[in-house]
Amino acid sequence: YAPVSWLILWVEHLVWGAGGTGYHLLNVLLHAVSAVLLWRVLRKLRLPGPTAWVAAAVFAIHPAFIYPVGWIAERGLILGTFFALLCVLFYLKYDMPVGDQRNDDMAWYAILAHALVCLSKPALGLGLPFVLLACMWWTRQGHSSFRGRHVARCSVFFVLSALTLAGAVLVHFLTPPPDLVGIGTGWVGQLSVAGWSCLRMLGVMLYPAGQQLLRTFPEGAGRIGVGYGLLAGVAVIYVIAHLTRRTRIGKALLFAWIVFMAWAVLPLVALPQYEVIRHGVAAGHWQYPGGLAIIVLVVGLLMAAFQKAGSGAPLVSNLFAIVLIVALVPISVSQGLILRDPVALWTRVTETCPRIWVGHSYLGLALVQADEVARAELPLRRAVDLNPNDALAHKLLGQSLLKKGELMASK
């Protein structure tokens, strides 16, 4: 249930019509503004050296974000991330006033922004209160001055998140799509989805090459092992971060751990997952907001290391940042060019993820739209075999058989 996202898409349809240019431009604009908001948030958190602008620049051009930004259907995620960063910025302005007087208006603006997150991308709003708590903890440089009253200040945000979770689960129960899974698979199944998604997310963020739209999960015991592996990894990282929390690296690790858990793990564990997510990781689903934590952690640690180098550190860190950004640009351009050819895109998806029915279905759609009906039959039959409830594949397969003159088969 995302009325704000659907309302904006409806307004855009009135303005742009069926053409996709306007929709893509708004996605790019929202992403660019989100990068600026991230820069403002990191400046407010007083991260070392040029961390703020470097992390924001990497977020703006990272190849892993080409798919969610270039995908019109991911509007809810892009819009939700924009409102989430706006919420964090407003709350930091309330929590860290310039003078002695707190600006209560900023708190109300933050609450409004959080409500808009929940109405744009409900799953993203679930972990937002934990992100606010992490920011409050970070600005106080550890647990020494972090008290229960700070948690109480976020009570309104936790109430909004609880209502969002209850509403999302209710909607799933009342109107379950035919390919809905996750409710009956138990926590191990949900953890396996989250675990493999997180592993894939880390891989894409650190090595952004190859086909990134969808990736296949392991089968059987391997999938369950990933779920338990996530629990073990989460516990180990938390223990390390907690034991080293009084050091700069420990604080950074704990901060990034909280944000990553809130925006990447919590939605995948708390909410029912669809078949396309169960069998493969959709690129735009959680690496867009979850990748923020990875970017900030890696860039922050690198900039802190350069600062310890002594004289000439600012020059070296800025040169390194420029080289890193320049190196990412051609990879992002190549990923963007893939989106211009739907047949080539979905062909690559089906080659790397042959068990994901949606890849075969959309490949068939792309071939039909390219007037290559004969080639569309094979992927459409494969999509129907993998998911007999895929109405789009059934429709396109019937149309392609009808065009071939196979009237009885088309029925």
Side-chain angles (χ1 to χ4, degrees), residues 157-169:
F157 300 97
F158 279 105
V159 170
L160 284 175
S161 294
L163 292 174
T164 300
L165 176 60
V169 174

Side-chain angles (χ1 to χ4, degrees), residues 274-349:
Y274 292 95
E275 186 76 15
V276 62
I277 303 178
R278 192 178 89 166
H279 286 300
V281 183
H285 275 84
W286 304 120
Q287 72 189 32
Y288 186 73
L292 285 175
I294 301 173
I295 290 175
V296 173
L297 176 64
V298 173
V299 172
L301 292 178
L302 286 173
M303 295 302 107
F306 283 128
Q307 274 195 329
K308 289 185 176 181
S311 59
L315 177 62
V316 174
S317 60
N318 282 300
L319 286 176
F320 175 81
I322 293 172
V323 171
L324 175 63
I325 293 169
V326 170
L328 288 175
V329 168
I331 305 176
S332 297
V333 171
S334 65
Q335 293 288 349
L337 291 175
I338 295 175
L339 292 176
R340 296 176 62 88
D341 187 352
V343 174
L345 169 65
W346 291 109
T347 299
R348 291 182 64 181
V349 169

Side-chain angles (χ1 to χ4, degrees), residues 63-284:
F65 304 140
I66 293 298
Y67 286 104
V69 175
W71 212 262
I72 297 174
E74 292 292 352
R75 170 61 55 77
L77 190 67
I78 306 299
L79 193 63
T81 303
F82 163 75
F83 285 131
L85 290 170
L86 198 62
C87 174
V88 174
L89 181 60
F90 283 143
Y91 194 82
L92 286 175
K93 287 185 176 182
Y94 163 75
D95 190 55
M96 302 171 61
V98 177
D100 296 331
Q101 186 75 23
R102 289 187 185 276
N103 188 348
D104 292 336
D105 290 342
M106 291 298 166
W108 288 109
Y109 294 155
I111 293 172
L112 175 61
H114 186 200
L116 291 173
V117 173
C118 295
L119 295 174
S120 301
K121 190 69 175 179
L124 192 59
L126 293 179
L128 187 52
F130 297 99
V131 176
L132 296 178
L133 287 177
C135 291
M136 293 171 64
W137 173 82
W138 176 266
T139 57
R140 285 156 180 80
Q141 294 300 309
H143 293 294
S144 57
S145 60
F146 190 71
R147 298 288 186 267
R149 66 178 183 274
H150 300 118
V151 179
R153 288 179 191 169
C154 291
S155 58
V156 176
F157 300 97
F158 279 105
V159 170
L160 284 175
S161 294
L163 292 174
T164 300
L165 176 60
V169 174
L170 181 63
V171 168
H172 280 299
F173 271 111
L174 293 178
T175 57
D179 58 350
L180 181 63
V181 297
I183 295 177
T185 59
W187 285 103
V188 174
Q190 295 292 88
L191 283 172
S192 66
V193 171
W196 191 249
S197 299
C198 292
L199 286 176
R200 173 60 187 158
M201 190 186 308
L202 286 169
V204 168
M205 295 303 301
L206 298 177
Y207 183 69
Q211 190 275 116
Q212 300 175 13
L213 183 59
L214 290 172
R215 285 293 178 179
T216 306
F217 287 142
E219 290 290 344
R223 175 180 295 186
I224 297 175
V226 170
Y228 287 117
L230 172 66
L231 283 178
V234 165
V236 168
I237 293 175
Y238 175 76
V239 169
I240 294 174
H242 183 73
L243 293 176
T244 60
R245 67 185 184 278
R246 298 191 183 280
T247 66
R248 177 177 294 182
I249 293 178
K251 291 175 182 177
L253 183 61
L254 185 57
F255 176 78
W257 180 86
I258 295 172
V259 176
F260 187 79
M261 289 290 295
W263 275 349
V265 179
L266 180 61
L268 289 168
V269 174
L271 294 178
Q273 302 306 319
Y274 292 95
E275 186 76 15
V276 62
I277 303 178
R278 192 178 89 166
H279 286 300
V281 183

